[in-house]
Amino acid sequence: MSDNKSIVGPKIKGMREFKHISLEEMSQRSGLSVEQISSIENDQYLPSLGPLIKIARALGVRLGTFLDDNNELGPVVCRAEKSTSGISFSNDSVEARQNMVYHSLARQKAGRMMEPFVIDVQPSEETHFKLSSHEGEEFIYVLEGQIEVDYGKDTYRLSEGDSIFYDSIVEHHVHGVAEKAARILAVVYIPF
């Protein structure tokens, strides 16, 4: 992935057009607006995982399809010294993409149901976040720093060595704590 900031939208558009699915039909299938899908495809808006999962389902593909480089059927080894650049997701416009940078640990693995990431979480001074939900489960382990996870009506503050496992169908949001960057290991499971 040479330019991670511009691969997701074009991949979605390419898959949609290849399958002869109009924007209107995609909107009906995903529950997202035509304008939202169009702005995602044109890289004006890079959504959180929730809308991406809805798009993947509407296209009949795995979430990882948007991040895949290869189609390795055997095991995939991700070496620390060959660290790859990351891709950012946010609930806002392109300018706000840097709140979380995802480093995929298995993008070469074909047919996977889990998405493992190391995520750099930037500090946030925000106090109100747009929560999202999707099918599946998530596991987060804090490698460095502190994060907060808004989950339903509760908020959990996690520090280095802490972990959380939750059902993703409950609205949630992961964010950094003010003035402290963090790094987490996250595994997202999405049933296909």
Side-chain angles (χ1 to χ4, degrees):
M1 290 201 297
S2 59
D3 184 6
N4 290 323
K5 291 185 173 138
S6 64
I7 62 161
V8 175
K11 276 192 174 186
I12 290 170
K13 185 175 185 176
M15 283 181 231
R16 180 182 60 75
E17 290 176 346
F18 178 77
K19 293 181 179 229
H20 305 288
I21 300 171
S22 68
L23 281 170
E24 292 75 17
E25 184 179 352
M26 185 70 160
S27 175
Q28 291 172 348
R29 289 183 180 191
S30 67
L32 302 173
S33 71
V34 168
E35 295 78 19
Q36 191 176 11
I37 295 166
S38 179
S39 66
I40 291 168
E41 289 183 350
N42 294 309
D43 258 351
Q44 297 166 335
Y45 170 76
L46 190 56
S48 63
L49 289 176
L52 283 179
I53 290 166
K54 290 178 182 178
I55 290 170
R57 287 225 179 269
L59 290 171
V61 299
R62 298 173 297 99
L63 172 65
T65 304
F66 304 140
L67 304 174
D68 289 347
D69 270 354
N70 301 315
N71 289 316
E72 180 63 44
L73 297 175
V76 172
V77 176
C78 186
R79 303 270 183 211
E81 67 270 9
K82 292 186 179 179
S83 176
T84 59
S85 56
I87 185 165
S88 299
F89 299 103
S90 77
N91 288 327
D92 298 314
S93 65
V94 172
E95 294 78 30
R97 288 183 179 177
Q98 297 305 313
N99 58 342
M100 294 175 69
V101 179
Y102 292 66
H103 304 275
S104 178
L105 299 177
R107 69 175 191 247
Q108 295 90 354
K109 178 69 176 160
R112 67 189 179 275
M113 298 297 215
M114 294 186 304
E115 293 295 333
F117 298 101
V118 169
I119 305 172
D120 295 318
V121 183
Q122 299 303 314
S124 177
E125 306 244 349
E126 293 291 323
T127 56
H128 292 54
F129 298 93
K130 181 178 179 184
L131 305 182
S132 65
S133 66
H134 52 85
E135 291 183 52
E137 300 171 331
E138 293 183 35
F139 171 79
I140 296 173
Y141 179 85
V142 181
L143 299 167
E144 300 172 13
Q146 291 185 337
I147 63 165
E148 284 187 345
V149 179
D150 290 345
Y151 184 76
K153 295 182 180 188
D154 298 316
T155 299
Y156 300 91
R157 183 172 279 209
L158 304 175
S159 299
E160 186 174 323
D162 293 343
S163 65
I164 186 170
F165 187 107
Y166 55 86
D167 293 316
S168 306
I169 197 71
V170 175
E171 288 195 328
H172 58 279
H173 189 275
V174 177
H175 49 271
V177 177
E179 300 179 20
K180 297 179 185 177
R183 182 165 249 223
I184 62 176
L185 169 67
V187 180
V188 179
Y189 166 74
I190 303 156
F192 188 67

